[in-house]
Amino acid sequence: MTHPTELTLAELRDALKAKDVSSGEATDAYLTRIEAAGELNAFITVTADKARAMAKASDNKLAKGEGGDLEGVPLGIKDLFCTEGVLTTAGSHILDGFKPEYESTVTTNLWNDGAVMLGKLNMDEFAMGSSNETSFYGPVINPWRRTDNDAPLAPGGSSGGSSTSVAARLCAGATATDTGGSIRQPASLTGTVGVKPTYGRVSRWGVVAFASSLDQAGPITRDVRDAAIMLRSMAGHDPKDSTCINRPVPDYEAALGQSIKGLRVGVPKEYRLDGMPEEIETLWAQGIEWMKDAGCEIVDISLPLTKYALPVYYIVAPAEASSNLARYDGVKYGHRTKDYFDILSMYENTRAEGFGDEVKRRVLIGTYVLSAGYYDAYYLRAQKVRKKIFDEFTDAFEKCDLMLTPSAPSAAFGLGEKFEDPISMYLNDIFTVTANLAGLPGASVPAGLDKQGLPLGLQLLAKPFDEETMFKGMHALEQAADFNAKPDEWWG
Amino acid sequence: MAVDKETVRKVARLARIAEPEERLEPLAKEISGILGWIEKLNEVDVDGVEAMASTVDVSLPMREDELQDGYTGGGQPDKVVANAPKSEENFFVVPKVVE
């Protein structure tokens, strides 16, 4: 039969249930591939022993015809999710040696459904970045390369370990998180599917906090069906997260293949940017044609506040981050400096040594915009513009059921290309950040290759808690695009 | 608004991050660049608009104030300090804070 790592998550799930392959075999096959892919730097920690033990337990259940929806399926976990007894770093030096005494709700849900943990995935430090270059553990390398040269490319970020490990077949699927685009942008840059659910759909308990009013976890997978399966397991009410909404989780997989005839698809004109590569423009136009062919009605919409979304984000997110990251003080967990003479110098030197440049930059900006005298001018104003952006989306969704946009303003870029200029890096999230500000679900689906052979994604946005319609649209897009390109295996 | 070196020094102190003298000027430049870009927001009319802190439109759920089981329950001081860089007898150890 096909090598187990070549199967999609759904195919592997079915093969496991049919006993065509065991979880032990699939897990070993993935561990072998992970070992050979060290160059990609996708994993911070590989939990081989734990994976084999979990696989064995799954095989026992499967032998008896028992087991959950993900029984025996090996997954990668972004290193932002706390995993009991397993090093959890958030990509930061300041969490050195941190082995949580508890398990995040999302990973608990996945293990309860039978999934197997292969290890913890690399990411931008505290999820702050769009290229995975801010990680203390070094950049992740995109398995995709341009056809004409071998320059290493960034896999997007912050969930760069998640996107690379899925694109390079190092796991059947991966968890990820998205605060301004950190699921959808890396998915777009690696030819994978990424879903950021509605804010409140998935519990944030046990996920290392970046910007609490924006953070939301979701899956990165090889195809739309896999994302539907993973999200169903990850989502659900959790009393331990007061912002997690108590409403039933639909069977997203059942929505796939349903007709989207008559759905109204909004196309926001403000997402047409000056200087955007022509190929992205063309792909977007192609996406609109695909939706039309599937029977959708295309609606021109206008979101004039779009240009203010990133500035709002770069006040709200650093403000929340400066508050959330105050907990890293060298007392409770992680790194403590050796260089101190009193409590203040211990705090200051611990944080100076423990945080990287981008994290420091954002904590300083956040502290500044929240400080006396500037709070109203920056933070309060940003929260008000956020409300106007939210209202603008609410109004626009009166006229349409979904919105279709590009996922990212460019294909994968070279390591170092945008690293020195923070604002050019921030612009990566220009199409994705609005969904975080408005709390909406959004997804990236691979839709084509550019002239250099690199994947490009299209984004769908939906109304709050209408992930089912989004999945219907994603599936239609996937069918029409028929994207099945894979990166050449140059590593290992 | 442009921030100067002294402002960066003050903010770094507030944020409890030791920044060496030679980093203050470059940081002032970087942060000023980002704040300049953010200042676009002054173009937006926000009169009478309420400030939005969360997109979740529900009041904070309340529960009975009683000890929970499991992770968030009591009686696990060893687990609370398990990751501390320095601890003794289930206490966190820090430099002297009271004279």
Side-chain angles (χ1 to χ4, degrees), chain A residues 4-68:
Chain A
T5 62
E6 284 304 308
L7 302 174
T8 64
L9 186 152
E11 290 165 353
L12 178 61
R13 171 195 65 179
D14 297 344
L16 287 163
K17 294 256 191 274
K19 302 191 183 68
D20 291 338
V21 64
S22 73
S23 177
E25 287 162 351
T27 301
D28 279 332
Y30 275 117
L31 290 170
T32 304
R33 281 187 69 77
I34 292 167
E35 202 177 332
E39 251 178 292
L40 302 180
N41 201 25
F43 282 79
I44 291 174
T45 306
V46 180
T47 52
D49 293 343
K50 193 179 174 80
R52 290 196 181 97
M54 289 174 96
K56 199 171 170 194
S58 284
D59 280 331
N60 288 337
K61 283 192 185 161
L62 289 161
K64 288 184 263 178
E66 297 167 3

Side-chain angles (χ1 to χ4, degrees), chain A residues 306-350:
Chain A
T306 297
K307 64 179 168 182
Y308 301 111
L310 274 172
V312 168
Y313 178 83
Y314 277 97
I315 292 175
V316 172
E320 294 184 14
S322 75
S323 169
N324 273 325
L325 271 57
R327 73 190 67 182
Y328 303 103
D329 56 5
V331 174
K332 301 179 291 290
Y333 30 64
H335 176 71
R336 178 190 288 198
T337 179
K338 290 188 174 64
D339 172 21
Y340 63 94
F341 53 91
D342 63 0
I343 190 86
L344 190 59
S345 62
M346 188 194 82
Y347 292 152
E348 290 188 335
N349 291 339
T350 293

Side-chain angles (χ1 to χ4, degrees), chain A residues 178-195:
Chain A
D178 191 314
T179 303
S182 284
I183 290 176
R184 292 159 286 159
Q185 183 258 11
S188 181
L189 269 50
T190 57
T192 54
V193 172
V195 176

Side-chain angles (χ1 to χ4, degrees), chain B residues 62-83:
Chain B
M62 304 294 272
R63 64 164 172 81
E64 289 304 312
D65 184 17
E66 55 194 22
L67 194 60
Q68 302 293 299
D69 290 332
Y71 297 143
T72 51
Q76 320 173 55
D78 51 326
K79 289 191 173 184
V80 173
V81 299
N83 277 288

Side-chain angles (χ1 to χ4, degrees), chain A residues 46-88:
Chain A
V46 180
T47 52
D49 293 343
K50 193 179 174 80
R52 290 196 181 97
M54 289 174 96
K56 199 171 170 194
S58 284
D59 280 331
N60 288 337
K61 283 192 185 161
L62 289 161
K64 288 184 263 178
E66 297 167 3
D69 286 348
L70 291 167
E71 198 64 55
V73 174
L75 300 178
I77 303 299
K78 186 178 184 180
D79 213 12
L80 203 62
F81 294 84
C82 286
T83 43
E84 192 173 352
V86 174
L87 182 68
T88 299

Side-chain angles (χ1 to χ4, degrees), chain A residues 99 308 336 348 361 388, chain B residues 13 30 43 45 83 93:
Chain A
K99 291 184 177 173
Y308 301 111
R336 178 190 288 198
E348 290 188 335
R361 189 151 48 216
K388 289 189 81 157
Chain B
R13 172 47 69 98
E30 283 171 29
E43 300 163 17
D45 178 10
N83 277 288
V93 177

Side-chain angles (χ1 to χ4, degrees), chain A residues 280-420:
Chain A
I280 292 181
E281 186 99 33
T282 310
L283 186 72
W284 190 16
Q286 176 67 68
I288 294 167
E289 284 308 309
W290 286 332
M291 297 310 266
K292 241 187 236 171
D293 292 345
C296 294
E297 180 196 337
I298 304 299
V299 187
D300 288 324
I301 54 169
S302 176
L303 299 165
L305 294 171
T306 297
K307 64 179 168 182
Y308 301 111
L310 274 172
V312 168
Y313 178 83
Y314 277 97
I315 292 175
V316 172
E320 294 184 14
S322 75
S323 169
N324 273 325
L325 271 57
R327 73 190 67 182
Y328 303 103
D329 56 5
V331 174
K332 301 179 291 290
Y333 30 64
H335 176 71
R336 178 190 288 198
T337 179
K338 290 188 174 64
D339 172 21
Y340 63 94
F341 53 91
D342 63 0
I343 190 86
L344 190 59
S345 62
M346 188 194 82
Y347 292 152
E348 290 188 335
N349 291 339
T350 293
R351 290 162 66 80
E353 292 167 14
F355 293 145
D357 287 345
E358 180 61 23
V359 172
K360 285 181 193 168
R361 189 151 48 216
R362 295 204 201 183
V363 169
L364 292 177
I365 289 173
T367 305
Y368 178 74
V369 300
L370 290 176
S371 65
Y374 300 103
Y375 184 90
D376 286 5
Y378 287 105
Y379 189 60
L380 203 62
R381 173 168 283 269
Q383 284 190 314
K384 288 178 177 179
V385 180
R386 181 178 183 184
K387 176 71 167 79
K388 289 189 81 157
I389 291 172
F390 177 87
D391 290 343
E392 189 170 271
F393 268 98
T394 307
D395 292 346
F397 270 121
E398 295 283 315
K399 302 184 198 80
C400 60
D401 307 295
L402 289 171
M403 288 183 200
L404 179 70
T405 78
S407 301
S410 75
F413 47 87
L415 292 186
E417 245 171 61
K418 301 190 181 186
F419 196 59
E420 295 307 320

